[in-house]
Amino acid sequence: MTTETSPAIGRRALTDDQQIDLYRRMQTIREFEQRASTLYRDSKIPGFLHLSIGQEATAVGACWPLSDSDVITSTHRGHGHCIAKGLEVGPMFAELMGKQTGTCKGRGGSMHIADPRRGIFGANGIVGAGLPIAVGAGTAAALRRNKSVVVAFFGDGAVAQGVFHESVNLAAVWDLPIIFFCENNGYAEFSPASDQHRADLRARAAGYGVEYAAVDGNDVLAVVDLQRQLVDDIRNGTSGPVIVDASTYRWHGHYEGDPQKYREADEIAEWQRRDPIALLGDHLRARALGDHVDAIDAEVTENTDKAVAEATNAPYPDDDTVIADVYAPRPPVAEPTPPAGGQVKMMHAITNALTRELEEDDRVFVAGIDVGAGGNVFGLTRGLAERFPGRVRDTPISESAIIGTAVGAAMAGMKPVVEIMYLDFIGVCLDQIMNQAAKMRFMTGGNASLPLVIRTQFAAGKSSGSQHSQSLEALLAHIPGLTVVMPSTPADAYGLLRSAIADPNPVIVIENRLLYGMKGPEPAPDHRIPLGRAIVRRSGSDVTIVSYSSYVHDCLAVADRLAGRGIDAEVIDLRTVSPLDFDTVLTSLEKTNRLVVVHQATRDFGVGAELAARAVSEGFWYLDAPVERVASMQSPAPYAPNLEQLWLPSHDEIEAAVERAMNPDPLAAAATSTR
């Protein structure tokens, strides 16, 4: 469907009181933005500030038919969207000033205002990044069948982002209840749209197979008329996703302080003559409602004065809250009794964990590339799509959309488990992991809930090449807000995955595909492993060997070899890489006085480096020898089998590292391998 709207339709459809309310909302946004500009000029607002003066009609009109149960995602120019959706201006001013009473407790600022409780899933400092989050909110609405609608605001510049394509395409494939609302102000930051694109949104909509509608974004009555039609059609199930192209204009620069050398004063003046607030005000005056217009202007000014005064006098956050709200409190999980009976392959333990969670909690759903009909590239989800219709969902090859879907669905109250086929592919979707999933709770002052799981796998040793062999856990462990687990046994794969799905934080579960066929004792159905807790796999008194994932088994094998030579090695399995359970390591180090760390990832800046630094910092007086690290060589994984085996740490190298720890030689240490 292609729709061109007529302003006259909207004027007939709305009562006088409704039109007056539209004017009040637009004038509230205008006053807020103008006052914010002044506060920024006077150094009352730190950080960046992007204003939407001139674009009030798009925000108000697009949000007019929405309720708190509906969701919006916004942009870095999002104050108007938040106000139009019902957010109070007082806490918003406080947020811009970085105050404790701010919408997000001063954690988000101008570009990250959000209130998920009202369906405001946040402004966003990354261009286009809110679009896949909207897909997640739309997925939650579709799964719940609650007739909720999502409006994803974006600017014309975001069309050049890959996540625009991924998001609209996935929404089309899944037929989600989303309105992709483009505030087309003609400029992508400093660049005119004509320099950015060779296809307009009408053509793009046709390419995605979604509906398209164009509207005069400076005529709020036209925008309202269109949005009411679209929202009603989506709620009634007669329409799927749609792209709205609303032509409008921002009066101020891309940011406050922008010299605006890229556009002419005459152009700005021409658009200011089409001021959306003045257009509606003139229309109301023509209907003998001018007294209402004047009263609203005075009322909004008075309310804004009061809000600014309260925000100005509000306190800044207490110093002791500097790292608050990074993680949600974890439910306590006791260390289970190790399973003793039966045998299960790790791959089947993972399938069993997913099955159990899908059975017990209808908020859980699974999504990823070929996880549905194909049953996962390794067969781990085989049969689940048939058993849980609609809740095990195939996606296009769109990693950013997959992770964004998890973020948005989690914020909407679901518990998504999404799959990235290979750990190497996290670079494709790192923004959604690093800047959205990991930070959203913190940036919203704890208001956002992110109970999501990202499953992925890795391994080297079978000539998979440099782009399918990487052990990249240190990249993810370095990001505050994430939890990273790496199981080494079938029972732990089951227990850690179930704990991850139950956890209120984003958890990344990294499996080693070479362990999928490994058999071990089958855990009980209620088996769970506490996150952030290491375990001693083998007790010893002479040296502590720490590892995780598949190399735990290599370390245990080496420990058996060492025992034949009279060296009693203690082997610790981290299980969770981040947060790191250093207490267990320190307790062992106090006993053995020697530490060797082994992992498949390359050595420099890795988990071993962190353990070595902590050992020197917190366990220095226990150490009788330098900390030894054994890891893959500092290069991409080779393809040739002989080179790959040389590149990987071997049993002999682990044993040699233990020898150096047992018999430290300062002269030999200077010539130690760069592994």
Side-chain angles (χ1 to χ4, degrees), residues 181-196:
F181 196 100
C182 180
E183 294 177 301
N184 193 339
N185 61 29
Y187 287 90
E189 298 190 356
F190 309 147
S191 301
S194 59
D195 292 346
Q196 299 284 303

Side-chain angles (χ1 to χ4, degrees), residues 144-486:
R144 288 172 170 152
R145 299 177 183 174
N146 61 6
K147 297 188 176 183
S148 294
V149 175
V150 180
V151 176
F153 288 101
F154 65 102
D156 48 285
V159 175
Q161 287 276 19
V163 288
F164 170 81
H165 161 72
E166 292 190 23
S167 300
V168 179
N169 185 57
L170 182 53
V173 169
W174 284 359
D175 196 28
L176 297 178
I178 303 178
I179 299 170
F180 293 97
F181 196 100
C182 180
E183 294 177 301
N184 193 339
N185 61 29
Y187 287 90
E189 298 190 356
F190 309 147
S191 301
S194 59
D195 292 346
Q196 299 284 303
H197 315 290
R198 292 295 180 266
D200 61 16
L201 283 172
R202 184 193 304 271
R204 293 176 187 275
Y208 293 117
V210 302
E211 297 179 7
Y212 170 85
V215 66
D216 178 357
N218 276 23
D219 186 338
V220 69
L221 301 178
V223 178
V224 167
D225 182 60
L226 172 64
Q227 282 292 100
R228 291 205 299 187
Q229 175 188 337
L230 296 176
V231 169
D232 286 347
D233 288 346
I234 290 175
R235 291 201 205 283
N236 294 331
T238 59
S239 174
V242 57
I243 293 175
V244 172
D245 190 356
S247 57
T248 185
Y249 197 80
R250 55 171 165 84
W251 293 8
H252 283 216
H254 168 57
Y255 59 90
E256 288 301 279
D258 176 4
Q260 302 191 67
K261 295 181 179 179
Y262 49 89
R263 57 184 186 177
E264 301 295 330
D266 290 346
E267 177 183 290
I268 299 173
E270 176 61 29
W271 277 95
Q272 287 178 338
R273 282 191 285 272
R274 297 195 61 252
D275 180 351
I277 297 178
L279 287 174
L280 182 58
D282 291 345
H283 168 71
L284 292 173
R285 287 188 172 89
R287 296 173 61 82
L289 298 171
D291 289 348
H292 292 277
V293 171
D294 295 338
I296 288 171
D297 290 348
E299 173 194 332
V300 169
T301 298
E302 180 181 352
N303 290 341
T304 303
D305 288 342
K306 181 180 179 182
V308 170
E310 290 177 351
T312 301
N313 294 326
Y316 287 102
D318 291 338
D319 290 353
D320 59 6
T321 67
V322 63
I323 59 172
D325 301 318
V326 178
Y327 295 92
R330 289 202 153 93
V333 176
E335 184 69 43
T337 301
Q343 289 285 298
V344 65
K345 287 183 178 180
M346 181 180 281
M347 61 184 297
H348 296 145
I350 293 166
T351 307
N352 293 343
L354 292 172
T355 303
R356 177 87 174 185
E357 293 299 324
L358 286 162
E359 287 174 340
E360 291 190 348
D361 193 338
D362 60 8
R363 295 173 297 172
V364 176
F365 72 93
V366 177
I369 302 163
D370 294 328
V371 301
N376 168 273
V377 68
F378 300 103
L380 273 66
T381 57
R382 194 168 294 154
L384 294 184
E386 293 79 9
R387 185 169 177 182
F388 303 98
R391 294 173 60 203
V392 181
R393 305 170 74 92
D394 282 323
T395 68
I397 303 175
S398 303
E399 283 84 1
S400 289
I402 292 168
I403 302 302
T405 294
V407 173
M411 292 178 71
M414 303 297 285
K415 301 179 79 172
V417 182
V418 295
E419 180 179 304
I420 298 300
M421 190 178 290
Y422 284 79
L423 178 56
D424 311 73
F425 301 166
I426 63 165
V428 181
C429 53
L430 191 57
D431 170 64
Q432 288 295 320
I433 297 174
M434 175 178 68
N435 286 320
Q436 312 303 327
K439 293 184 173 72
M440 195 66 75
R441 175 177 169 79
F442 178 82
M443 292 191 304
T444 60
N447 290 327
S449 180
L450 277 299
L452 66 92
V453 173
I454 302 169
R455 277 191 54 253
T456 188
Q457 55 78 30
F458 80 107
K462 294 294 184 181
S463 291
S464 297
S466 296
Q467 294 181 347
H468 285 72
S469 303
Q470 297 168 94
S471 187
L472 300 173
E473 64 276 4
L475 295 181
L476 299 167
H478 188 69
I479 300 171
L482 298 181
T483 296
V484 182
V485 303
M486 299 182 73

Side-chain angles (χ1 to χ4, degrees), residues 626 628 660 663-673:
E628 293 286 341
R660 292 193 296 271
N663 302 288
D665 181 346
L667 295 178
T672 298
S673 166

Side-chain angles (χ1 to χ4, degrees), residues 46-67:
F48 300 108
L49 190 67
H50 306 80
L51 302 181
S52 62
I53 296 173
Q55 298 184 180
E56 295 84 0
T58 53
V60 171
C63 292
W64 177 260
L66 305 181
S67 67

